[in-house]
Amino acid sequence: MTALARWCLRRRIVVIVLWLAAFAGVAVAAGVTGAAYSNNYEVPGTESGQASARMAKAFPERSGDSDTLVWHTDSGTVRSAAVKKTMRHTLEKIAALPGVSEVESPYGRHADGAGARQISKDGHTAYASVLFDRRTDDLDVDQVQKVVDTAQTASRPGLQVELGGAGIALTEAPRAQLPEIIGLCAAAVVLFLAFGSLAATFLPIITALAAVGTASAGITLLSHAMTVADFAPMLGMLIGLGVGIDYALFIVTRHRKGLREGLPVDEAATRAVAVSGRAVVFAGATVCIALLGMLILRLSFLNGVALAASLTVVLTVAAAVTLLPAILGLIGMRALSRRERRRLAEQGPRPERTTGIAARWSGFVERHPKLLGTVAAAVMLALALPAFGLHLGTSDQGNNPATSTTRKAYDLLAGDGHGSGFGPGSNGPLTLVGTLDGAKDRIAFDALPDRLRDTPGVARVSRPVFDGGHSTGVITVVPTSSPQSRQTSDLVERLRTEVLPEAGGAATLRVQVGGITASYDDFASLIVGKLPLFIGVVIALGSVLLLLAFRSIGIPLKAALMNVAAVASSFGIVVAVFQWGWGSELLGLGSAGPIEPFLPVIMVSVLFGLSMDYQVFLVSRMYEEWQLTHNNRRAVRVGLAETSRVINSAAVIMIAVFGAFVLSGDRIIAMFGIGLAAAVALDAFVLRTLLVPALMHLLGGANWWLPSWLDRWLPRISIEPPPEPGAVRLPGPQDGEKPLVRA
């Protein structure tokens, strides 16, 4: 690390130019190729995935995305001459737009047949199906926007026109610029208060932006090679800005300390990278390992997210240990404020001593470890309680903000249950795909709708539709409940295990339940089934890394416990806001609904990585002091006093960056923002500055115990730097505690 820092300082201009060239090259390539993001939850091998593949093969003309245009009138009916004229003309214009293959109108030639089902019982609401010529992932947003604009020109007093569906949702995709700007401004304020120097303030921000910008363009290119969710770039940006600014903050803080102690600029930067850079690399490695743990789930949807987020973290670490020292060498003494430079010139260098609030707080924790540890544990437990009611499921457009057209269309379709609308299940119908082999199968499939109508939870059943060879049949089933409700999931299970197996009788008929609602259920079930293994692997890998770094059994065990506490408490807050709806509408995040099934996986990965960051920065300083003194009380007190200020500053920055993404307008990103911001706040201000030091005081020298046989067998990973010149080994007994001799 020292050699790398010196090389970057000697060739600072080359390093800066290389970073600029890398960013420009990747950005141009991403701009030329464009993005190919996908939100396909279907998993090959699941029943819904097999049904979708069968459907696409048998009915290729239906492979495009089908969205819904809904109109509603309070007075009169949608069958009135004026409404008919307006909407017929509008639907004809939409049908002629580029990208639209077909529009199924209730006013067409089947108005007394199939079309009649597209008008509600009270006659106040009607809908038309708009079929695009491509799947949602391949749609041109500008073409979809023209459909929205054309449809909404029909709105007038007394006639409400709204649109819903996955394709229409593309026009409501969040824009990250506002959260980015707010998060960066908040980070700049915190950095300026901490440093008092404009040059030092912008160093972490510039470093993070260089890494995140390059990573964002790289993720765009990655989307062409594998399945990458459309929220992956914003998630990568959220993580990258948070950890990127923090990693740079730790190095700049150490660099400024070296300057105040009289070191030359290059020497101070070299030592900063050699000391804090090691912890940064180790912390970044733990984040990447936690993120890449998602690969064991073997889900293409999450593989792309894991690699995209890991790429961002790798580039932030690389920027912190290469680009940052180059810029530090470029700005010279301006890393210090004018007052600090003037004091240094007048009074000369002075060894720094930890005083003030940090030192007093560290002493307070040392004197009252039992009381403070109990209070901290109670707070974490209370916040974690809502997590026990966690309901995993996929939110739909009924959870969108009340002002969005997709939410309004959803509500109009669902109606109030008294003749208005078409029922909540109309927003997520199930698709039953039958594989037919012979006349007996076709007869059994023809009779299936009658059996389905008597099934509890079924509102409506369509007539069977067959492909040209009559080898595949399709029936649409509309549930009585909404797509995200438990009742709909129960209906899917009932159809698969009871109704459909019995329907075939003596025939060889095989019917699979598909559709987007069933695919969401299959996706959630798959994740829930693998979640214990995933969490176990992530905890085990993180614990092994800490074991190798700190040569202790107690440190990894406490870290695993603290990480679980941080995850559970943050999930409690996410459940309260999004599942219970506490303040979600006020924040513009829509109504209460289930928690996305992939959220636990991604959040566990990110939170375990971020928690390890603070654990490493805190304990590495304690470990450094322990090696000098072999006195646990002094090691914990000094480590907490010297790191708490920078950890708290880093946490405030990360909270500001994560919290700003609540304003993204995207429910999923807002879940990540609130969950990560809450976890970082609890981790920094409750766990690392209160519960962890309290436990370490209570455990005494046992914190650092490692069996001698295991010590000899384990390879060595060094996070702590070599002792600085002039470091003195202080005798342990001076603090009233005998040093612990390893077994």
Side-chain angles (χ1 to χ4, degrees):
M1 194 64 69
T2 301
L4 175 64
R6 287 175 177 163
W7 188 90
C8 292
L9 283 162
R10 285 196 305 268
R11 296 169 176 82
R12 59 194 66 167
I13 301 300
V14 173
V15 172
I16 295 172
V17 170
L18 286 176
W19 269 98
L20 290 175
F23 171 71
V26 178
V28 169
V32 171
T33 59
Y37 301 120
S38 172
N39 280 345
N40 185 7
Y41 291 88
E42 292 177 358
V43 181
T46 62
E47 184 168 330
S48 60
Q50 294 172 353
S52 176
R54 180 80 183 181
M55 181 83 172
K57 182 178 180 180
F59 301 93
E61 70 278 3
R62 296 190 179 191
S63 61
D65 177 73
S66 179
D67 289 32
T68 306
L69 190 155
V70 190
W71 58 98
H72 175 82
T73 179
D74 293 322
S75 60
T77 72
V78 294
R79 293 187 176 92
S80 67
V83 174
K84 272 189 177 182
K85 180 179 179 181
T86 299
M87 295 311 303
R88 272 179 172 166
H89 179 63
T90 301
L91 295 177
E92 289 171 0
K93 290 170 62 178
I94 291 174
L97 290 174
V100 177
S101 64
E102 184 182 355
V103 175
E104 297 176 359
S105 168
Y107 301 137
R109 57 183 176 177
H110 302 294
D112 295 328
R117 292 196 294 270
Q118 295 173 232
I119 298 177
S120 63
K121 291 181 180 179
D122 64 1
H124 289 300
T125 307
Y127 72 89
S129 296
V130 180
L131 187 66
F132 291 100
D133 58 6
R134 282 167 288 176
R135 295 176 63 88
T136 301
D137 297 334
D138 302 322
L139 286 175
D140 186 328
V141 178
D142 293 334
Q143 290 181 349
V144 180
Q145 186 63 55
K146 288 180 181 178
V147 173
V148 175
D149 295 339
T150 303
Q152 292 187 336
T153 57
S155 294
R156 63 170 189 254
L159 179 61
Q160 180 183 3
V161 181
E162 307 293 347
L163 299 96
I168 302 300
L170 296 175
T171 64
E172 297 177 339
R175 300 291 182 262
Q177 285 79 3
L178 179 61
E180 287 176 28
I181 294 170
I182 293 176
L184 290 175
C185 289
V189 170
V190 176
L191 289 170
F192 184 74
L193 292 176
F195 295 152
S197 163
L198 282 177
T201 294
F202 287 109
L203 277 177
I205 295 176
I206 292 171
T207 306
L209 286 177
V212 170
T214 306
S216 182
I219 293 171
T220 301
L221 296 177
L222 183 66
S223 68
H224 293 277
M226 62 189 306
T227 301
V228 178
D230 63 355
F231 63 82
M234 196 178 294
L235 177 64
M237 196 178 305
L238 185 150
I239 298 171
L241 287 177
V243 302
I245 294 175
D246 275 10
Y247 291 166
L249 168 66
F250 289 119
I251 293 176
V252 172
T253 299
R254 179 70 71 147
H255 173 70
R256 284 164 43 81
K257 178 182 178 183
L259 292 179
R260 288 193 296 267
E261 292 176 350
L263 293 177
V265 172
D266 283 11
E267 184 60 30
T270 300
R271 177 156 287 279
V273 174
V275 175
S276 296
R278 295 183 185 215
V280 164
V281 171
F282 187 85
T286 60
V287 175
C288 288
I289 288 174
L291 288 169
L292 294 175
M294 284 190 275
L295 297 179
I296 68 172
L297 298 176
R298 301 173 65 86
L299 295 173
S300 60
F301 180 82
L302 292 178
N303 290 347
V305 174
L307 291 177
S310 298
L311 173 64
T312 307
V313 174
V314 167
L315 288 177
T316 58
V317 171
V321 298
T322 59
L323 178 61
L324 182 58
I327 301 177
L328 287 174
L330 199 63
I331 67 171
M333 294 297 294
R334 283 175 293 174
L336 297 178
S337 66
R338 291 182 180 178
R339 181 166 51 180
E340 289 173 321
R341 295 199 299 268
R342 185 168 56 249
R343 184 186 303 128
L344 184 63
E346 294 174 354
Q347 302 177 6
R350 285 183 168 187
E352 294 193 9
R353 295 184 178 182
T354 304
T355 58
I357 296 177
R360 291 195 295 271
W361 173 256
S362 182
F364 182 69
V365 174
E366 181 184 13
R367 293 191 298 272
H368 307 285
K370 292 182 179 179
L371 173 63
L372 296 177
T374 302
V375 171
V379 170
M380 299 299 292
L381 179 61
L383 292 174
L385 289 177
F388 290 99
L390 177 67
H391 168 44
L392 294 180
T394 302
S395 58
D396 51 38
Q397 293 179 350
N399 300 113
N400 289 357
T403 56
S404 65
T405 187
T406 50
R407 168 70 178 276
K408 293 175 182 177
Y410 184 99
D411 292 340
L412 288 176
L413 278 176
D416 57 10
H418 300 288
S420 173
F422 303 88
S426 60
N427 285 293
L430 305 175
T431 304
L432 273 56
V433 182
T435 302
L436 315 178
D437 184 16
K440 285 186 177 181
D441 287 358
R442 288 192 286 273
I443 293 172
F445 195 76
D446 261 328
L448 186 56
D450 294 331
R451 179 185 291 269
L452 292 171
R453 290 187 184 97
D454 297 329
T455 302
V458 173
R460 296 189 305 279
V461 183
S462 73
R463 292 177 299 184
V465 177
F466 300 94
D467 66 341
H470 279 71
S471 62
T472 303
V474 176
I475 296 174
T476 300
V477 175
V478 178
T480 57
S481 50
S482 67
Q484 61 184 253
S485 71
R486 295 180 188 269
Q487 289 84 352
T488 303
S489 299
D490 293 340
L491 173 62
V492 172
E493 183 67 19
R494 191 181 307 118
L495 291 174
R496 288 174 170 174
T497 58
E498 300 175 15
V499 179
L500 297 178
E502 298 173 359
T508 59
L509 174 66
R510 186 165 61 95
V511 183
Q512 296 169 313
V513 181
I516 192 167
T517 303
S519 68
Y520 287 162
D521 283 349
D522 289 344
F523 185 70
S525 298
L526 198 62
I527 288 182
V528 170
K530 295 184 177 181
L531 196 57
L533 171 64
F534 167 73
I535 294 177
V537 169
V538 171
I539 291 177
L541 289 175
S543 298
V544 168
L545 282 176
L546 291 178
L547 174 65
L548 296 176
F550 297 116
R551 324 297 297 176
S552 161
I553 297 292
I555 297 299
L557 291 179
K558 283 198 295 293
L561 181 63
M562 296 302 103
N563 292 347
V564 170
V567 169
S569 299
S570 64
F571 264 104
I573 294 173
V574 169
V575 167
V577 174
F578 291 94
Q579 186 175 315
W580 296 354
W582 289 6
S584 60
E585 289 282 9
L586 293 176
L587 293 171
L589 304 176
S591 61
I595 306 302
E596 299 294 330
F598 54 80
L599 190 79
V601 174
I602 299 177
M603 278 192 59
V604 164
S605 298
V606 176
L607 292 180
F608 266 77
L610 296 181
S611 296
M612 285 293 185
D613 283 1
Y614 292 142
Q615 180 78 0
V616 167
F617 288 120
L618 174 65
V619 178
S620 61
R621 181 64 188 94
M622 294 178 178
Y623 186 50
E624 182 182 354
E625 192 67 24
W626 165 258
Q627 288 189 311
L628 288 173
T629 67
H630 274 247
N631 183 288
N632 182 72
R633 285 174 56 187
R634 176 181 175 83
V636 175
R637 184 177 69 247
V638 171
L640 178 60
E642 292 190 3
T643 61
S644 61
R645 181 180 176 184
V646 69
I647 286 178
N648 291 340
S649 297
V652 171
I653 292 172
M654 205 173 283
I655 292 166
V657 172
F658 291 161
F661 277 80
V662 175
L663 304 175
S664 67
D666 183 273
R667 181 180 173 86
I668 295 176
I669 292 299
M671 281 187 186
F672 285 123
I674 288 180
L676 294 176
V680 169
L682 294 171
D683 198 303
F685 299 112
V686 178
L687 294 181
R688 307 302 161 186
T689 60
L690 186 55
L691 187 54
V692 168
L695 287 175
M696 294 189 75
H697 277 302
L698 291 173
L699 291 174
N703 285 303
W704 315 102
W705 177 78
L706 184 72
S708 56
W709 62 268
L710 185 58
D711 190 24
R712 290 191 300 270
W713 180 78
L714 289 176
R716 294 186 177 273
I717 296 178
S718 177
I719 296 180
E720 73 283 351
E724 296 185 14
V728 180
R729 180 178 296 275
L730 299 175
Q734 73 173 29
D735 282 342
E737 182 181 275
K738 295 182 180 180
L740 176 72
V741 179
R742 291 178 184 256

